[in-house]
Amino acid sequence: MNLSLNGTTVAVHRDGADVDPVLSPRPFLHPVTTLAGTTVTELQPRDHRHHLGFGLAVPDVDGTSFWGGRTFTPDRGSVLLDNHGRQQHVRTLERAPERHTGLLSWTDPQGRELIAEERALRALPLDEHTWVLHVHTVLRNTSGRDLSIGSPATNGRTGAGYGGLFWRAPLGPRPPAITGPDGPTNGADLHGARVPWLALAGTTEQGARWTLLLHQVGPHPEPWFLRTEEYPGTGPALAWDERLPLPAGAHLERGLRVAVADGHPHDLPALAKAVVDPP
């Protein structure tokens, strides 16, 4: 299934059914491209094979990994466990060229459902160089018991609070430039920061320039997980330094808007405003 604008495909939606079980199979978007066709996602890179473009990945839902790969444990560090869950597409609730809403089932290694998710994806035009991906997700605890969401950080690995909506960008000849609401930065001060938006501006091996501006939806931003030197990847963290409770029958909602632009726009604060308040 594709997301398209004016007949141009800007993202391919994959159900993840063919993903290796050890990578926690799940639906994701890849490739996501700029309007000029530059790919701005990465799929199963050698450095982290469980990075699948853009999607929703969580390392720990009551011990089940919906992230893939190794799990950080307090006593043994990062080890490969038989704890990988699966996000399965159940049915499509809405479908049009520029939007897709689906119902997903999150199951543990024994096939028992822990979470039912409704995920809405929409492509919105912004200008001749930029489009916006709007993501809204509702996670409902259907397990019949209280759950909690964790991360390597909640298990003792300092600074590794990743998990949630996560964008893996492609490697280039150099790390992308990082900008936040206070201006350009090396990125270290945005890792763990509760700011509404941040932007990555990269260049491909072929010289094509791209920019991603990710803007959280809602009045209370979550801490950003951000990597730039080892690999380019970022997303708001659900469980940055403490577990997030999800009681039986309860739900949580999260939203993200991502501007996908050709080139390196000069006025990123203006772009951030346009992302949440289109002209």
Side-chain angles (χ1 to χ4, degrees):
M1 194 279 295
N2 298 338
L3 293 179
S4 60
L5 289 170
N6 299 319
T8 298
T9 296
V10 291
V12 176
H13 183 266
R14 303 170 183 262
D15 65 11
D18 59 349
V19 171
D20 189 324
V22 79
L23 305 180
S24 296
R26 55 196 184 271
F28 60 93
L29 296 180
H30 178 81
V32 179
T33 63
T34 68
L35 294 176
T38 300
T39 298
V40 291
T41 49
E42 188 73 86
L43 177 63
Q44 295 187 18
R46 293 179 61 184
D47 53 70
H48 290 79
R49 288 186 56 240
H50 50 278
H51 287 180
L52 308 178
F54 173 70
L56 179 53
V58 179
D60 180 356
V61 177
D62 250 38
T64 296
S65 172
F66 294 96
W67 181 266
R70 296 178 296 174
T71 293
F72 184 84
T73 62
D75 54 343
R76 292 183 291 166
S78 293
V79 293
L80 191 62
L81 302 176
D82 185 18
N83 67 340
H84 299 96
R86 177 182 292 269
Q87 299 174 24
Q88 295 175 288
H89 175 77
V90 177
R91 67 177 182 271
T92 297
L93 303 177
E94 181 185 23
R95 183 171 181 176
E98 77 287 355
R99 65 167 63 94
H100 177 267
T101 301
L103 181 65
L104 287 69
S105 176
W106 294 38
T107 55
D108 68 11
Q110 289 73 45
R112 298 170 298 201
E113 184 173 272
L114 301 179
I115 291 172
E117 179 194 0
E118 183 174 314
R119 187 182 305 179
L121 306 167
R122 186 178 182 186
L124 303 165
L126 190 60
D127 60 40
E128 61 181 328
H129 303 293
T130 311
W131 68 278
V132 176
L133 174 66
H134 186 196
V135 185
H136 179 256
T137 180
V138 180
L139 301 173
R140 187 176 302 277
N141 179 351
T142 55
S143 69
R145 68 180 194 274
D146 292 345
L147 300 175
S148 68
I149 294 172
S151 68
T154 65
N155 288 334
R157 184 183 170 193
T158 303
Y162 52 80
L165 293 166
F166 180 75
W167 195 294
R168 171 58 200 257
L171 291 169
R174 56 186 177 276
I178 307 299
T179 302
D182 294 328
T185 172
N186 61 12
D189 58 341
L190 291 179
H191 183 63
R194 293 179 180 270
V195 296
W197 64 271
L198 58 76
L200 293 74
T203 304
T204 69
E205 295 283 355
Q206 294 73 36
R209 299 190 301 171
W210 55 265
T211 297
L212 298 170
L213 189 148
L214 295 86
H215 201 302
Q216 297 188 47
V217 176
H220 305 293
E222 292 175 312
W224 289 97
F225 176 81
L226 175 64
R227 288 283 188 264
T228 56
E229 297 295 332
E230 180 184 2
Y231 64 84
T234 189
L238 289 173
W240 178 252
D241 53 12
E242 58 184 35
R243 299 189 71 88
L244 175 65
L246 187 58
H251 73 277
L252 61 86
E253 298 185 46
R254 293 296 185 270
L256 190 67
R257 288 196 173 200
V258 185
V260 181
D262 285 296
H264 294 161
H266 296 295
D267 194 345
L268 289 174
L271 178 59
K273 185 177 185 301
V275 164
V276 295
D277 186 20

